[in-house]
Amino acid sequence: MLVGDGATAVCVAVALLGQGHRLTMLTRDAVVADAINARGLRCVGDQTSDSMRCGASTSIRPGARYRLLLLAASRRHAAEQLEQARPHLTDDAVVVSFVRGLFEPELRRLGAPAATLGAVASWGASLREPAVADRTAAGGLVLGPVDATADQLRSTARLLEAVAPVTVTDNLLGARWSQIAWESVVEPLGFLAGTRMGEISRHPFALQLALEALTEVVEVARAAEVILEVLPGAPDLTQLALSRKEEGTAGPADEVLDKRAWLGA
């Protein structure tokens, strides 16, 4: 079962369905459920796919049991939807959380009812309309254990290779921090400018702004003793961090401009 209906959920569902896996989707939105049931799910853009059919609902069928729960709900509703799914998980079920942000501590607090893994998606994607995602980069997945055996980690990684290349890590916290860094800096700039980061970084002022914000994340991570993980398809944040002499210059120094290639320009 896959919980959620955002861009990440659609990308994961389309990839798994394309490999012949059976999947049921749980969403909070009846309109989205109707769209999925009527037209299926689809990815467009750089990762175009055919329409993939699966059942979707706002509730779980009484008596249904699942051995795998892919939790790709929004951070706001993830705990509520996990509680909704909990009675329907088998004793040996595995929960994989795609939830953005530092949700793993809450999983522990909630007492996740099964073996639990965290998955960090590093591809670019957005929803064009309900059940249709625009996946703009292949990217990859970083998968790490919250509370799971080595066998559960390996078998889940093999399954998710259908979605994107999987990197297994024992530094899930560092991967989450890296994801937060990119989302808090790159996504707002892309939204304001209406274009991708590679184009934004061609403008010196925007490049300086992005690098100074990313540098702050790197410094906070160091202070918190978090080792930032390099996400698939993304630059190493520590390589992008500015030295003190590069920060706050009236115009970007040569060292700043040299980092342009790291941002896809």
Side-chain angles (χ1 to χ4, degrees):
M1 177 168 59
L2 190 151
V3 177
D5 55 26
T8 296
V10 172
C11 290
V12 171
V14 165
L16 292 175
L17 291 166
Q19 292 293 316
H21 297 284
R22 292 191 303 167
L23 195 65
T24 298
M25 291 189 70
L26 179 68
T27 172
R28 299 179 73 255
D29 193 327
V31 173
V32 174
D34 289 344
I36 294 171
N37 290 325
R39 300 188 299 274
L41 299 153
R42 191 160 58 93
C43 280
V44 297
D46 293 351
Q47 300 288 314
T48 300
S49 72
D50 295 330
S51 180
M52 298 293 174
R53 297 283 181 171
C54 77
S57 177
T58 58
S59 60
I60 303 174
R61 177 174 53 83
R65 301 282 281 172
Y66 299 96
R67 294 186 61 193
L68 177 64
L69 172 65
L70 303 175
L71 185 62
S74 69
R75 178 69 177 80
R76 178 180 177 184
H77 301 298
E80 172 193 336
Q81 292 191 277
L82 176 61
E83 287 301 307
Q84 185 180 0
R86 182 193 294 268
H88 299 274
L89 299 178
T90 62
D91 292 340
D92 61 346
V94 175
V95 174
V96 182
S97 173
F98 289 84
V99 180
R100 294 179 173 187
L102 302 179
F103 186 64
E104 279 73 28
E106 188 160 348
L107 280 173
R108 293 189 177 96
R109 182 184 64 78
L110 291 169
T116 309
L117 303 167
V120 178
S122 66
W123 58 71
S126 60
L127 278 182
R128 285 200 179 182
E129 59 185 83
V132 180
D134 185 355
R135 184 167 171 179
T136 55
L141 281 172
V142 178
L143 188 69
V146 178
D147 182 14
T149 67
D151 285 344
Q152 289 166 327
L153 179 59
R154 282 193 296 267
S155 62
T156 305
R158 285 195 298 269
L159 172 71
L160 293 178
E161 283 284 349
V163 179
V166 175
T167 301
V168 173
T169 184
D170 58 2
N171 182 26
L172 182 60
L173 179 62
R176 288 288 185 213
W177 270 66
S178 294
Q179 182 186 40
I180 291 169
W182 286 112
E183 290 175 350
S184 62
V185 175
V186 174
E187 289 188 4
L189 285 175
F191 176 79
L192 290 172
T195 187
R196 298 184 185 182
M197 195 63 214
E199 177 59 32
I200 294 172
S201 65
R202 297 179 190 277
H203 302 277
F205 173 77
L207 174 64
Q208 182 84 29
L209 179 63
L211 292 175
E212 287 187 3
L214 290 171
T215 299
E216 185 171 346
V217 174
V218 171
E219 291 177 346
V220 172
R222 286 174 180 158
E225 300 184 340
V226 173
I227 300 173
L228 295 171
E229 192 87 354
V230 180
L231 302 181
D236 183 341
L237 287 169
T238 62
Q239 295 293 326
L240 289 174
L242 300 174
S243 64
R244 288 297 181 187
K245 69 182 180 65
E246 295 168 338
E247 292 186 69
T249 57
D254 290 342
E255 294 89 344
V256 176
L257 295 176
D258 287 343
K259 298 177 188 291
R260 186 177 275 172
W262 287 85
L263 286 171

